[in-house]
Amino acid sequence: MRLALLCSALAPACLYANTLRLEVQGVSDALADNVRGFLSIQSLEDQDVRSESRLRYLHRQAEGEIRQALEPFGYYTPQIETELQRLDSGDWQARYRIDPGVPTRVSRVEIQLLGEAADDSAFQSLLATRPLRRGAILSHQDYERLKTQLQSLAAERGYYQSRFQQQRILVDPEAAEAEIDLVFDSGTRARVGEIRFAESPLDERLLRRYPRFAEGDYLDVTRLVDLQGALIDSDYFSDVEVRPLLDEMEEGVIPVQVNLTPRLRTLYSAGFGFGTDTGARMQLGMNRRYINSRGHKLDARLRFSEIRNDLSGSYMIPGRDPRFDLFGLRARYADENSDTIESSTLALGGVWQRQIGDWERVLSLDFEQEEFTFDQNTQTVKLLIPRAQLSRTLADNRFNTRAGQRISFSLAAANDALLSDVSFIQVSASGKRVDSFGERWRLLSRLEVGATLADEFDRLPASQRFYAGGDNSIRGYDYQTLGPKSAQGNVIGGRYLLVSSLEADYEFRPNWRLAGFIDAGNAFDGWSDPIKTSLGFGVRWQSPVGPIRVDLATPIQDSGVRIHFTLGPDL
């Protein structure tokens, strides 16, 4: 009697422990996923069945829900078998076998554009690539996507009165055919009215050089977004809002409001670091984002290290196109005292920076006075140096690069007939690539070349000569310890430079990589001089501010082991 009562008491608990298994058969994965999304009974899958009556009710709804799930894919006449049974284990199994039948195909498509969009090439391009064509399987998803694209394009290009005059799909299930009718009336395209800039510390005449549109142009949202990005990139503003004032539209003309939140006028910065080339180092900086209402900028940097000290400043003025055009004055004092170079340089000049597509072009003219010492012989040389530099950096991620490249070219010259003590011409080029193979492997390649033509090379200042060795050169050798030597055995720099490197690294755990590399090259006075080669391996940690690298390298032709520590992006 007690046993019977115990079983009776546990019976509901046993019933509640029974779960539902759900199977959808006979259709592709995409269709099966959509069917499952429509099935109300799926909410009970792998759950305890607490109500058999609710389970059977949801099962009876399944056939209608399956038909609804198949219609968006063009299947209107499916054959459906439904089955719900109790297994010996006590669990429930719901099985739905589906034969989707013959898909409905589009027999006629009529898409008509009314209004000014009928002559808009952007709309013509959109319709030319539409998947809704005669003979195609009817897809409600494609139909709804096309409607959304038409509405989005209209909003983007300033058709703010657009609407659908007709939108319908006529389906004949027996014939498995469908007819589509879309009539889209864009109305007139809005034009830009008054461009209103909110009050800011900058002169409105400067701000009006940023838009790529003018009053009376057709309104295009992409141009508004472009203006917003350009003003943020200017570094004058922390927040920018560019929006058309739709509630003030009159006769198709819409004013554009530009709201501006200025950044802090002055940014102070300080940084500390260590590198095997420079030893411990520190940097102090001051960036005056705007000195006056005309947007002039002032930047000053003071850098200290065990080998090199540098004080530099620049005064930059926005050009006619302030997005990509800057010119100004710059000054620099540098003092270097390494195992190879002992020199001090004072420079003053002008610079013109311009962005041309992905390339940055820098033209400059600097008057430099450098005092340098080789073998206890000190010289002072004055040079007026015009320079031209062209560089480009492309990367999927500047701080954690999986694919990218950096290329730069430079040309510098001086002439003893033009305020210079020495005549020379110097050309140099460098490049670096990052390529990925699979999820974990990368290959980093690097090449740097340079050549100097000078009749009195022994009078050429130390900063204008080529050296090799160091963190970013041939890592088996210390900083700038490779190059032609004097009669006393001291490195005095060369006319030519050739340095190359190949490095492969493997991500053995998130943000950690092992690397192996080979570096080769030298600085020399003749191309027949020997090439120095080093091999090594290292560890990289992907920090929030870029890769931190520790390398161990050894030269092949010479003895010794060098440890290199660097911080900074790969490109």
Side-chain angles (χ1 to χ4, degrees):
M1 181 66 176
R2 291 179 181 177
L3 180 61
L5 289 174
L6 179 61
C7 291
S8 176
L10 291 177
C14 296
L15 175 62
Y16 294 160
N18 299 330
T19 59
L20 172 67
R21 303 176 188 175
L22 183 64
E23 293 184 13
V24 177
Q25 302 174 348
V27 292
S28 65
D29 291 343
L31 286 175
D33 289 342
N34 204 54
V35 166
R36 285 179 169 273
F38 270 76
L39 285 173
S40 301
I41 198 173
Q42 191 191 23
S43 63
L44 301 181
E45 186 176 17
D46 297 327
Q47 303 293 322
D48 294 343
V49 177
R50 297 180 178 274
S51 172
E52 181 178 339
S53 61
R54 175 167 173 76
L55 173 65
R56 294 191 179 277
Y57 169 76
L58 295 179
H59 175 67
R60 290 194 297 270
Q61 307 304 310
E63 182 172 349
E65 293 171 340
I66 292 172
R67 293 184 184 276
Q68 283 184 286
L70 297 177
E71 286 179 0
F73 294 87
Y75 296 98
Y76 283 84
T77 58
Q79 300 295 319
I80 303 171
E81 295 181 12
T82 66
E83 180 183 4
L84 178 65
Q85 62 176 341
R86 190 76 172 271
L87 303 177
D88 293 340
S89 63
D91 291 335
W92 292 89
Q93 184 175 59
R95 181 182 291 115
Y96 304 103
R97 300 182 184 89
I98 306 169
D99 178 1
V102 178
T104 298
R105 294 187 177 272
V106 178
S107 61
R108 181 177 63 83
V109 182
E110 291 291 340
I111 301 176
Q112 187 176 1
L113 291 177
L114 303 178
E116 293 185 10
D119 299 318
D120 192 325
S121 60
F123 282 87
Q124 302 302 327
S125 299
L126 172 61
L127 295 182
T129 58
R130 72 182 192 272
L132 292 174
R133 299 180 181 278
R134 183 178 179 182
I137 295 177
L138 175 63
S139 170
H140 288 255
Q141 185 177 17
D142 291 340
Y143 171 76
E144 294 297 334
R145 183 184 297 117
L146 177 60
K147 289 169 54 181
T148 300
Q149 289 173 335
L150 287 169
Q151 292 171 318
S152 298
L153 186 59
E156 178 184 304
R157 296 181 65 77
Y159 297 95
Y160 292 113
Q161 297 173 326
S162 63
R163 64 187 181 89
F164 284 103
Q165 287 192 354
Q166 188 178 45
Q167 45 182 326
R168 67 178 184 179
I169 300 177
L170 300 176
V171 178
D172 184 347
E174 294 184 0
E177 293 181 348
E179 297 180 354
I180 297 175
D181 290 291
L182 276 179
V183 179
F184 185 71
D185 185 357
S186 68
T188 58
R189 187 177 183 185
R191 292 183 180 270
V192 176
E194 179 186 5
I195 304 174
R196 304 171 185 171
F197 287 92
E199 184 178 352
S200 80
L202 300 181
D203 193 315
E204 190 169 310
R205 288 175 294 182
L206 170 62
L207 298 176
R208 289 192 176 278
R209 301 209 297 267
Y210 279 92
R212 290 287 188 260
F213 55 88
E215 295 181 15
D217 290 349
Y218 282 123
L219 196 148
D220 191 325
V221 172
T222 58
R223 292 185 178 182
L224 304 185
V225 173
D226 171 72
L227 173 59
Q228 182 180 30
L231 289 171
I232 291 176
D233 291 342
S234 72
D235 201 37
Y236 296 128
F237 308 104
S238 61
D239 187 46
V240 178
E241 180 189 28
V242 182
R243 61 186 180 91
L245 302 176
L246 300 181
D247 56 344
E248 296 186 27
M249 181 171 63
E250 291 184 4
E251 297 180 355
V253 177
I254 303 177
V256 174
Q257 177 68 38
V258 183
N259 295 321
L260 305 167
T261 303
R263 288 184 180 273
L264 289 176
R265 190 170 191 174
T266 305
L267 173 66
Y268 298 96
S269 61
F272 303 89
F274 179 85
T276 46
D277 283 354
T278 61
R281 57 177 181 251
M282 179 180 72
Q283 174 177 293
L284 301 175
M286 188 273 291
N287 178 17
R288 189 78 162 173
R289 291 187 170 105
Y290 50 93
I291 296 175
N292 51 38
S293 63
R294 296 185 296 279
H296 296 190
K297 299 171 180 280
L298 177 65
D299 186 83
R301 301 286 165 184
L302 180 59
R303 301 177 179 89
F304 298 103
S305 72
E306 298 178 25
I307 291 177
R308 182 183 178 92
N309 299 315
D310 189 292
L311 173 63
S312 62
S314 64
Y315 185 98
M316 304 303 294
I317 302 170
R320 178 175 297 179
D321 184 351
R323 295 173 178 228
F324 306 121
D325 205 3
L326 287 172
F327 61 92
L329 299 174
R330 64 184 182 182
R332 176 174 59 91
Y333 174 77
D335 178 78
E336 184 167 346
N337 189 358
S338 67
D339 292 339
T340 304
I341 297 176
E342 182 179 339
S343 71
S344 61
T345 304
L346 180 64
L348 177 66
V351 61
W352 178 21
Q353 300 176 3
R354 183 168 180 80
Q355 192 76 25
I356 306 173
D358 294 328
W359 293 88
E360 182 183 49
R361 185 195 68 191
V362 179
L363 302 178
S364 62
L365 180 65
D366 295 289
F367 183 76
E368 299 183 1
Q369 176 178 291
E370 181 169 343
E371 181 181 280
F372 61 99
T373 301
F374 287 124
D375 294 339
Q376 289 77 50
N377 178 27
T378 300
Q379 301 184 63
T380 299
V381 174
K382 298 177 181 178
L383 297 171
L384 181 65
I385 306 178
R387 287 186 178 87
Q389 296 171 295
L390 194 64
S391 61
R392 182 183 72 176
T393 300
L394 300 175
D396 57 349
N397 186 318
R398 290 296 300 273
F399 292 99
N400 188 8
T401 305
R402 296 280 303 167
Q405 58 177 279
R406 183 194 68 223
I407 305 173
S408 64
F409 304 93
S410 178
L411 172 64
N415 191 284
D416 57 11
L418 295 173
L419 303 178
S420 298
D421 296 333
V422 181
S423 297
F424 75 93
I425 298 176
Q426 186 176 89
V427 294
S428 61
S430 64
K432 188 173 183 179
R433 282 183 60 92
V434 178
D435 297 285
S436 294
F437 300 92
E439 292 295 323
R440 298 180 178 271
W441 286 97
R442 295 191 311 167
L443 179 67
L444 292 81
S445 51
R446 173 168 51 90
L447 177 66
E448 185 177 1
V449 296
T452 304
L453 301 178
D455 293 335
E456 298 178 277
F457 186 78
D458 60 333
R459 298 193 62 201
L460 196 68
S463 65
Q464 305 301 326
R465 305 186 186 194
F466 291 118
Y467 306 84
D471 295 340
N472 297 303
S473 183
I474 303 169
R475 283 166 280 189
Y477 298 87
D478 281 342
Y479 176 62
Q480 294 188 341
T481 56
L482 291 180
K485 297 182 178 180
S486 66
Q488 298 183 22
N490 297 315
V491 176
I492 57 175
R495 297 173 180 264
Y496 309 109
L497 176 71
L498 175 62
V499 172
S500 62
S501 174
L502 279 178
E503 177 177 314
D505 64 31
Y506 175 76
E507 188 176 29
F508 63 93
R509 59 178 299 179
N511 296 323
W512 286 91
R513 295 178 178 275
L514 288 176
F517 57 84
I518 177 171
D519 303 328
N522 207 343
F524 34 77
D525 285 333
W527 295 105
S528 60
D529 291 355
I531 295 293
K532 297 292 187 178
T533 306
S534 68
L535 297 171
F537 65 91
V539 179
R540 284 89 176 91
W541 174 54
Q542 186 63 44
S543 77
V545 295
I548 295 176
R549 309 174 191 85
V550 178
D551 289 326
L552 192 66
T554 182
I556 293 180
Q557 295 93 337
D558 303 293
S559 60
V561 176
R562 301 291 183 272
I563 297 177
H564 295 273
F565 176 86
T566 56
L567 165 65
D570 290 312
L571 295 177

